[in-house]
Amino acid sequence: MGVLDGKVALVTGGSSGIGEATARLFAREGARVAVLALGPEELEEVAQDISDSVGEAMPVAADISRPEQMKAAVAKVVDRWGRLDIVFANAGINGVWAPLEELDPEEWRQTIDVNLTGTFFTVKYAAPYLKRNGGAIVITSSINGARVFSSPGATAYSCSKAGQVALAKTLALELAEDRVRVNVVCPGNIATEIEESTDRQDLKSLGESVGFPAKAIPLTGRAAGRPEQVAEVVLFLASDASSHVTGAVVTVDGAQSLMVG
């Protein structure tokens, strides 16, 4: 028997990295999992592989920064399985990292829209269903929003991630009477594809980065963490094992942020 038997979970950003690792772990632990992401082809492949190998999954294509798409996506999950118990709001981007004077307003807006506003939409439209039976929300923030603010040019990213922490703490209190818990994971350097899409512009004038990703991770030497290591923490926060935990911020970085924070 799995620790999530009978539960229905929605995982955003579920087609790769931390989201995919968590979706697979949730399914192995008995949950029916809705895997949400933008790209339909890769998304359908992941959902099908989960269904074929470890559990039951459905693909849901949506842009988390579009409220009408997220409202429809959540409704689609509930229409299929009749309930929603767990939301892992994991989707996000690194966006453009640039000096303040060179950061275009639209580049700022895109990062905030996806990371912070997208998380708000995800939680907003899921909340009415979570309130029916109680449930758990876990949000992926970052050490660059909770403990480390020394990464050159990461203004938009760090602000979006700090905003997620504030959102989670506020909603932890607001939703507590409905037995909905809200917690945060803050990964450090994890071996995912998100770093490859980071658009770094003209950062030499700001000096060498000492933040994300740091050059040293005390627990592993230099090796980045694995998505599965974050997924295990998310599973704990989503399960009844953390039934008295809400408003918590859990750092998953092998002490990386202690070296630079």
Side-chain angles (χ1 to χ4, degrees):
M1 294 198 36
V3 299
L4 300 182
D5 281 351
K7 305 291 187 181
V8 171
L10 170 65
V11 177
T12 71
S15 63
S16 64
I18 293 170
E20 179 182 354
T22 304
R24 292 181 182 278
L25 182 57
F26 280 1
R28 284 198 298 272
E29 291 294 336
R32 290 166 288 178
V33 183
V35 184
L36 186 148
L38 269 175
E41 292 185 5
E42 186 177 19
L43 172 63
E44 291 176 4
E45 182 179 335
V46 170
Q48 187 61 55
D49 186 60
I50 291 173
S51 295
D52 290 343
S53 57
V54 294
E56 185 176 356
M58 66 179 288
V60 182
D63 181 344
I64 65 167
S65 69
R66 301 289 297 274
E68 69 281 2
Q69 291 190 27
M70 283 310 299
K71 185 176 182 180
V74 172
K76 182 178 180 181
V77 177
V78 177
D79 286 346
R80 174 163 175 177
W81 286 320
R83 61 187 296 156
L84 182 60
D85 305 284
I86 298 164
V87 171
F88 182 33
N90 166 73
I93 60 173
N94 274 7
V96 174
W97 291 23
L100 179 62
E101 296 88 342
E102 299 177 33
L103 184 64
D104 186 83
E106 185 53 40
E107 294 167 343
W108 161 275
R109 187 176 297 112
Q110 182 185 25
T111 301
I112 298 296
D113 282 352
V114 174
N115 291 351
L116 181 54
T117 308
T119 299
F120 165 72
F121 291 148
T122 301
V123 175
K124 172 182 173 62
Y125 293 116
Y129 303 106
L130 294 170
K131 288 180 178 180
R132 292 178 180 178
N133 302 296
I137 298 166
V138 184
I139 296 171
T140 300
S141 178
S142 170
I143 60 172
N144 274 13
R147 300 177 73 166
V148 175
F149 295 92
S150 52
S151 296
T155 306
Y157 180 77
S158 291
C159 286
S160 71
K161 292 297 172 179
Q164 287 178 312
V165 173
L167 177 67
K169 287 177 175 290
T170 303
L171 293 180
L173 188 58
E174 179 178 327
L175 299 176
E177 290 187 358
D178 295 295
R179 296 175 297 111
V180 177
R181 299 180 297 104
V182 188
N183 293 293
V184 181
V185 289
C186 288
N189 184 15
I190 305 297
T192 71
E193 298 174 358
I194 192 171
E195 191 65 25
E196 298 173 7
S197 63
T198 307
D199 186 357
R200 289 181 168 82
Q201 301 178 5
D202 304 316
L203 296 180
K204 290 184 179 180
S205 64
L206 298 180
E208 182 180 359
S209 172
V210 295
F212 182 89
K215 294 180 179 179
I217 302 175
L219 199 60
T220 62
R222 297 178 63 93
R226 294 177 288 105
E228 293 78 11
Q229 292 174 304
V230 183
E232 292 282 358
V233 178
V234 177
L235 175 64
F236 167 73
L237 294 173
S239 73
D240 290 341
S242 61
S243 62
H244 203 54
V245 179
T246 193
V249 179
V250 182
T251 303
V252 190
D253 72 345
Q256 175 186 355
S257 58
L258 297 178
M259 292 284 290
V260 298

